[in-house]
Amino acid sequence: MAISRATAPHQGEAAARPDDDADADAGTTGREPRPRLTSPLALTLLLILTVLLQSPLRRALAAPVMQSWTTVFVAVVIQALPFLVLGVLLSAAIAVYVPPSFFARALPRSPALAVPVAGVAGAVLPGCECASVPVAGALVRRGVTPAAALAFLLSAPAINPIVLTATAVAFPRDPEMVLARFAASLAVACAMGWLWHRLGRTDWLRPPAHPPHEGRTKGAAFWDAVRHDVTHAGGFLVVGAMAAATLKAVAPESWLRTAADNPLVAILALAVLAVVLSICSEADAFVAASLTQFSLTARLAFLVVGPMIDLKLFAMQAGTFGRGFALRFAPATFVLAVAGAALTGAVLL
């Protein structure tokens, strides 16, 4: 019995050793751990590659088409970046520091009246698409009628002061573009709110279960929202600027002229482009201003459709309210936005 008691601990150690032995063997068998590509290493390799290829890169950048591409790209990004940063800061502050109960108290009890009030509220409360979706979800969770919350969701990123100021700066020779964007976007937001109030069903809408900033201090939630929005909006701004520069410098002029000469094709083309590019509303006016081949009405469609329905918005709406809601809400929004832009452009532009 003494022997068995003496050997028992050694057996327990032996049973517990396989994982330790495996780790030890990995370190003593001469096999080095597999290197991983980190950000500093990737940047270093990129810089080395750039130095080695500087001569062909210099020749490529000296080509007229690349000079034109670079000029448009840099111009769009530099003009849009201040408005994007300011819009992100303000929208994060509203999403974190303004309680959703404020909206619930301010809106009328009647859904038919709450829809236009919520739509107009978007004109005075800056908020990009990334902020408007969680705010709308919080409104629904606090008991605000979904029709009013959806009207706010569509209007806030489309007609807030930052967006309208950016539009005025981007179109200095066409001041009527600001009024047209405001009128068309507000009309579409209210129309979608009333349409949901009339035809929407509660089982199509899945309200979010918890607040987006639950469990964090307001300061931490604010900076998390800023970092998230700057990363996403900045990335989409770069993609949008690249697409605009490519259309300007690379796309055959005959193709653009063919699309631009047909009013219906031009409106639909830029509406689809707005969905695909998913540019933040604080920066999309500068991209639209660079598409000079197209009419003002077609570019208005780009500005009205983009803040209301694009790829990232569809994903956010599906995640917040459910896929069934997004599959019904997004197509209806797209159709009404295109129609509203076309009608407003015909009257004001």
Side-chain angles (χ1 to χ4, degrees):
M1 293 297 294
I3 295 177
S4 63
R5 284 195 298 267
T7 57
H10 296 288
Q11 292 172 353
E13 291 177 3
R17 281 180 56 191
D19 292 340
D20 297 338
D21 290 343
D23 294 338
D25 291 341
T28 58
T29 53
R31 291 183 299 176
E32 295 294 333
R34 184 177 298 176
R36 291 182 297 177
L37 185 63
T38 61
S39 298
L41 178 59
L43 180 60
T44 301
L45 294 175
L46 179 62
L47 291 176
I48 293 174
L49 186 62
T50 303
V51 172
L52 294 176
L53 300 177
Q54 58 178 320
S55 295
L57 286 176
R58 191 182 298 113
R59 288 194 297 270
L61 293 176
V65 64
M66 286 304 301
Q67 290 182 349
S68 175
W69 188 95
T70 304
T71 300
V72 175
F73 174 78
V74 173
V76 170
V77 171
I78 290 179
Q79 285 182 307
L81 196 57
F83 294 96
L84 186 147
V85 173
L86 179 60
V88 164
L89 290 173
L90 291 176
S91 65
I94 290 173
V96 174
Y97 291 104
V98 177
S101 58
F102 167 79
F103 299 95
R105 293 193 303 267
L107 292 175
R109 292 184 178 275
S110 171
L113 295 178
V115 166
V117 173
V120 174
V124 296
L125 295 175
C128 69
E129 300 91 322
C130 298
S132 65
V133 175
V135 170
L139 294 178
V140 174
R141 190 175 55 252
R142 294 296 180 92
V144 174
T145 177
L150 296 177
F152 178 84
L153 182 151
L154 296 177
S155 68
I159 60 174
N160 69 68
I162 303 299
V163 170
L164 296 180
T165 302
T167 305
V169 173
F171 292 89
R173 298 181 180 180
D174 302 293
E176 65 274 12
M177 197 68 163
V178 179
L179 177 60
R181 181 173 195 177
F182 176 87
S185 299
L186 180 59
V188 173
C190 292
M192 281 300 302
W194 284 322
L195 184 65
W196 179 267
H197 175 61
R198 185 66 181 270
L199 302 177
R201 289 166 40 181
T202 55
D203 59 324
W204 292 348
L205 187 66
R206 186 198 66 197
H210 56 80
H213 307 299
E214 186 178 29
R216 288 179 290 175
T217 64
K218 290 188 178 297
F222 172 79
W223 288 114
D224 285 348
V226 169
R227 284 192 295 267
H228 175 273
D229 290 354
V230 165
T231 301
H232 284 70
F236 285 113
L237 170 61
V238 171
V239 172
M242 292 175 63
T246 302
L247 285 175
K248 190 81 172 180
V250 177
E253 187 66 27
S254 59
W255 293 5
L256 297 178
R257 192 183 305 112
T258 300
D261 288 345
N262 188 316
L264 181 59
V265 173
I267 291 173
L268 290 176
L270 290 194
V272 173
L273 186 65
V275 174
V276 174
L277 293 185
S278 304
I279 308 171
C280 186
S281 59
E282 279 87 3
D284 60 358
F286 299 96
V287 176
S290 68
L291 302 174
T292 54
Q293 300 91 338
F294 294 87
S295 65
L296 288 177
T297 300
R299 285 182 278 177
L300 176 63
F302 182 90
L303 298 178
V304 174
V305 170
M308 295 188 173
I309 177 62
D310 56 30
L311 295 181
K312 71 176 186 299
L313 269 176
F314 179 83
M316 293 180 68
Q317 291 171 4
T320 302
F321 298 112
R323 187 174 59 180
F325 164 82
L327 289 174
R328 294 175 175 89
F329 189 74
T333 302
F334 179 83
V335 172
L336 279 183
V338 171
L343 292 175
T344 305
V347 174
L348 298 179
L349 302 178

